[in-house]
Amino acid sequence: MALQVNVNDILNQLYQHRGVVEFLFANRENITVNELLSREDISPEGYQRLKALELVFEYENIVSLNDAVIAMFEDFMEIGEVTPGLVNDYINELKRYIRFYQEVHEHRFLRHIKKYLKRINIALPREIIKLQKNVDDTYKNEANYRIKLHKLEDYREKRDTIIEFIRKTEEIINDTRQLFTYTNDTELYGIVTNLKGTLIENLDFLIEIQTDITDYINKIQFQLDVYLKAQRLKEIKDHGTLHYRTDFIEQVKQVKTLKHNNIKGPRTKISIDFLFTDEGHVLCKRVAEKYKLSRLMMRGIAGKLPSNFKEQLIDQQIKLDVEKLVDKFLNQNKLNLFEYLIDYKFPKAVGNVSFEERLSIFVEIAMEYQNSLDFKYRLGYHDYEDANQTKKRLGYTIILPLKKEEKKTKKIKEEKE
């Protein structure tokens, strides 16, 4: 470095200009000096201090972070390019210290063996994670098809290199098994056991990565073939050959449907009016059972009306004075219309009025006396038992007597209209 500094100076400058470091790490290309100095969190003196410490470099008015700083961040965040050569260095150092320990059996060499076994155990999963991220990012973000293919081929070679390192590590562990047993070091035994499990898991991950790489390459090759065919087709179209020398237009007219992404539309469209019928409700119920939707299963199918329903209704209307019934309802404020009719004691001349008949009277009053009633447009529920003693629930609209003030406002509106 240009100045004699210590760790404290470097940490102070990185922390003091952490916003600038984050900005340069995220934007590693084409950051000019003027663009950097236009920020509020750095001054010209601070920029010169970073340059003096060689934390940043300036070349042709372009500013970039020191590669060592970038590598440190990428190492901790497990991102960046795959560097399998680092694992190879650890393996070579491990072999060297094992050879030293075999010669003199001193404990100081055993410490280095443990250190490099741990480093291999950490470095291999990190390189595999970076390899997976780079493969996915290349397929998703690289715009040029040919560069994308070359990068994926390079990652395939790096994947094979990592597999070779795993094989070498397994050979070292197997060849020195007796040596590790002879040391009677429980810590070393635990490190070796953990490393064996990591090697097996890493091989499984690398198989999945190889599958992804092959799948991506096949997709890119297919897309490239389609692009080249489309480009050739455009050239033919521009020269007029497509229209005058081929039957391309006739062939396209014969194609009636085009399928995209294997998504098929419904065969028939069902009208909304049909869904409100009993048959439509049966269909909705089947769909609800298939997709486990509980909201569509609340409503039940209405029972069949008796054949003499109209005759009974006419006889009942003769015996029952509906107007007096409505007047009595309007003069009370305790019950809503449905509750009032359910609890109402009809005259003996009318006879026994069933639940279905009371329900029909409720509908009749709601339709004919709507100007005198206050519809709340919310549901109330009534539990009852049918003829088969099956418990059911009926939902009804809550209707209350219209208050005097509301009657006056309604009359004023009707007169204005």
Side-chain angles (χ1 to χ4, degrees):
M1 285 188 177
L3 298 176
Q4 294 295 327
V5 295
N6 53 31
V7 176
N8 192 33
D9 293 334
I10 297 174
L11 292 177
N12 283 336
Q13 290 300 318
L14 288 176
Y15 180 77
Q16 183 179 353
H17 299 96
R18 56 189 180 278
V20 175
V21 174
E22 182 183 2
F23 176 69
L24 292 175
F25 182 76
N27 305 277
R28 304 182 195 180
E29 299 177 358
N30 302 328
I31 302 299
T32 62
V33 177
N34 293 333
E35 185 179 357
L36 185 65
L37 293 178
S38 64
R39 295 172 57 90
E40 297 179 355
D41 52 357
I42 187 171
S43 62
E45 294 78 12
Y47 174 66
Q48 294 299 327
R49 180 66 177 170
L50 290 175
K51 281 182 62 179
L53 294 174
E54 294 185 0
L55 294 173
V56 298
F57 291 105
E58 179 184 338
Y59 178 73
E60 294 184 354
N61 204 33
I62 300 298
V63 185
S64 62
L65 274 178
N66 190 321
D67 291 339
V69 178
I70 295 175
M72 178 184 67
F73 290 149
E74 288 179 344
D75 235 11
F76 276 100
M77 299 170 65
E78 296 181 351
I79 60 176
E81 281 297 325
V82 185
T83 53
L86 187 65
V87 181
N88 190 34
D89 294 339
Y90 293 157
I91 292 174
N92 292 333
E93 290 295 318
L94 178 63
K95 289 180 179 178
R96 190 163 70 95
Y97 282 105
I98 287 175
R99 187 169 63 251
F100 293 162
Y101 184 77
Q102 288 174 338
E103 292 178 0
V104 296
H105 292 285
E106 292 184 5
H107 190 268
R108 57 193 176 98
F109 297 123
L110 194 62
R111 287 202 309 269
H112 289 284
I113 292 173
K114 294 178 185 178
K115 179 178 71 173
Y116 285 107
L117 285 173
K118 289 179 181 179
R119 288 187 177 182
I120 293 172
N121 195 17
I122 295 172
L124 279 173
R126 180 177 294 172
E127 295 300 314
I128 293 173
I129 291 172
K130 290 196 291 187
L131 179 62
Q132 180 69 66
K133 288 183 178 179
N134 288 332
V135 169
D136 294 337
D137 291 342
T138 300
Y139 178 72
K140 294 176 182 177
N141 301 324
E142 181 58 52
N144 189 290
Y145 284 106
R146 300 187 188 280
I147 295 177
K148 188 183 293 189
L149 283 174
H150 289 313
K151 282 187 176 182
L152 290 176
E153 290 292 346
D154 292 341
Y155 291 139
R156 176 182 281 175
E157 293 179 1
K158 290 183 178 181
R159 174 254 181 195
D160 296 337
T161 304
I162 295 174
I163 289 179
E164 182 63 25
F165 292 157
I166 291 176
R167 301 297 185 194
K168 287 183 179 180
T169 307
E170 288 178 342
E171 290 177 2
I172 294 171
I173 293 174
N174 293 330
D175 294 341
T176 56
R177 183 184 302 170
Q178 293 181 354
L179 177 65
F180 292 157
T181 306
Y182 176 76
T183 59
N184 291 325
D185 192 318
T186 55
E187 183 184 4
L188 180 61
Y189 177 77
I191 293 172
V192 173
T193 304
N194 191 18
L195 180 58
K196 285 182 179 179
T198 302
L199 295 177
I200 296 173
E201 291 179 0
N202 291 339
L203 281 176
D204 295 336
F205 290 144
L206 288 169
I207 292 172
E208 294 179 4
I209 292 174
Q210 176 61 28
T211 304
D212 292 340
I213 293 174
T214 305
D215 186 34
Y216 290 157
I217 291 175
N218 292 335
K219 287 180 180 179
I220 293 167
Q221 192 63 52
F222 174 75
Q223 293 168 359
L224 184 60
D225 293 341
V226 172
Y227 172 75
L228 292 175
K229 289 180 180 178
Q231 193 177 34
R232 177 60 180 160
L233 190 64
K234 186 177 183 302
E235 292 177 359
I236 296 173
K237 176 181 177 296
D238 293 341
H239 288 89
T241 308
L242 188 67
H243 181 73
Y244 295 104
R245 296 186 182 181
T246 66
D247 59 344
F248 176 77
I249 297 176
E250 287 74 12
Q251 292 294 332
V252 171
K253 287 181 179 179
Q254 292 177 5
V255 178
K256 297 181 179 179
T257 57
L258 295 175
K259 297 180 180 179
H260 301 281
N261 299 328
N262 295 326
I263 298 175
K264 297 181 180 179
R267 296 180 180 178
T268 58
K269 293 183 178 180
I270 302 172
S271 64
I272 296 177
D273 294 336
F274 173 77
L275 295 177
F276 280 104
T277 62
D278 290 338
E279 293 81 2
H281 175 68
V282 173
L283 182 62
C284 292
K285 191 174 181 180
R286 291 178 183 174
V287 174
E289 290 175 354
K290 181 178 180 180
Y291 294 100
K292 298 180 180 179
L293 300 175
S294 59
R295 290 183 298 170
L296 298 178
M297 302 176 68
M298 294 292 293
R299 172 177 170 265
I301 301 175
K304 293 183 178 180
L305 293 175
S307 58
N308 60 345
F309 172 74
K310 292 183 179 180
E311 297 176 359
Q312 292 179 358
L313 188 60
I314 292 171
D315 294 339
Q316 185 175 344
Q317 288 177 350
I318 294 172
K319 296 179 182 179
L320 179 64
D321 190 352
V322 179
E323 290 184 4
K324 291 184 178 179
L325 178 61
V326 173
D327 291 336
K328 291 181 180 179
F329 169 72
L330 295 176
N331 291 326
Q332 61 86 38
N333 293 318
K334 295 181 180 180
L335 302 174
N336 60 57
L337 180 59
F338 185 87
E339 295 174 343
Y340 184 82
L341 292 175
I342 293 298
D343 297 333
Y344 186 77
K345 295 182 179 179
F346 290 92
K348 293 182 180 180
V350 176
N352 186 21
V353 182
S354 64
F355 175 78
E356 290 79 8
E357 293 170 345
R358 294 172 187 263
L359 187 59
S360 64
I361 296 171
F362 171 81
V363 175
E364 179 186 355
I365 293 174
M367 293 175 63
E368 294 185 5
Y369 296 89
Q370 56 183 347
N371 293 331
S372 302
L373 302 174
D374 183 14
F375 289 78
K376 292 300 182 182
Y377 298 104
R378 64 175 185 268
L379 294 179
Y381 295 95
H382 176 72
D383 297 322
Y384 68 101
E385 292 183 355
D386 60 4
N388 297 325
Q389 294 183 350
T390 302
K391 292 184 178 180
K392 292 185 177 181
R393 170 169 285 191
L394 175 69
Y396 60 89
T397 301
I398 295 178
I399 303 174
L400 299 176
L402 193 64
K403 297 180 181 179
K404 294 181 180 180
E405 297 177 357
E406 294 175 350
K407 286 183 180 180
K408 289 180 181 179
T409 53
K410 270 195 174 184
K411 284 182 180 180
I412 293 171
K413 287 183 181 180
E414 290 174 356
E415 289 175 358
K416 287 182 179 180
E417 293 175 354

